Amino acid sequence: MCVSHHNIEQQAYHYAEQIRQYTKYCPLYIQYIGAGRFAFEQGEPLPENSPGVISKIVLADKDGNQYPIEPDELGLRFARGELAYKDYLRQQKKENGQLIGLTLALVAGFGTAGWAFIAFLF
């Protein structure tokens, strides 16, 4: 099955550009899924022809601490300084847990509906 990743790439690119523009940290580089990384140059925009989907953006503070974040709304909030890094990680873990819970609930719901359908027919 072939799935288009264009929308995912565009959304990641959009958030990466927003993070680069509005961050209070120093952007170091972007990491692509399976295609290496791109170092930020002062004042240069992100490359239009990206070699893959952006997986992480690495930011650094004045002390040299590096913060890898994902190009999403939560990462943008951290980059703007609205969240501490611990809060960013906590909320990211919470969102991942909710996604796993929703997936398990859907699988259980479809399984129960399938079982009920088969039990009703026989």
Side-chain angles (χ1 to χ4, degrees), residues 20-103:
R20 187 184 69 79
Q21 288 178 357
Y22 299 115
T23 186
K24 73 174 203 170
Y25 301 97
C26 175
L28 297 178
Y29 60 89
I30 357 179
Q31 203 166 355
Y32 294 100
I33 296 175
R37 60 170 116 172
F38 170 78
F40 286 106
E41 297 295 328
Q42 192 68 4
E44 285 189 29
L46 293 175
E48 288 291 330
N49 300 340
S50 65
V53 178
I54 300 171
S55 65
K56 299 265 186 216
I57 300 168
V58 179
L59 306 174
D61 62 9
K62 292 178 183 177
D63 298 329
N65 299 324
Q66 294 186 1
Y67 304 104
I69 60 171
E70 293 184 6
D72 57 8
E73 182 66 33
L74 198 56
L76 181 59
R77 288 184 58 207
F78 169 74
R80 287 182 175 167
E82 298 172 8
L83 289 174
Y85 193 64
K86 286 184 180 182
D87 294 332
Y88 165 77
L89 292 175
R90 188 176 308 121
Q91 285 194 8
Q92 190 179 38
K93 189 175 183 180
K94 180 182 173 184
E95 286 180 3
N96 288 343
Q98 289 174 342
L99 181 62
I100 291 170
L102 177 65
T103 302

Side-chain angles (χ1 to χ4, degrees), residues 3-17:
V3 178
S4 173
H5 298 284
H6 184 68
N7 290 340
I8 297 169
E9 289 176 21
Q10 290 293 7
Q11 185 176 8
Y13 181 85
H14 171 74
Y15 276 114
E17 188 64 38

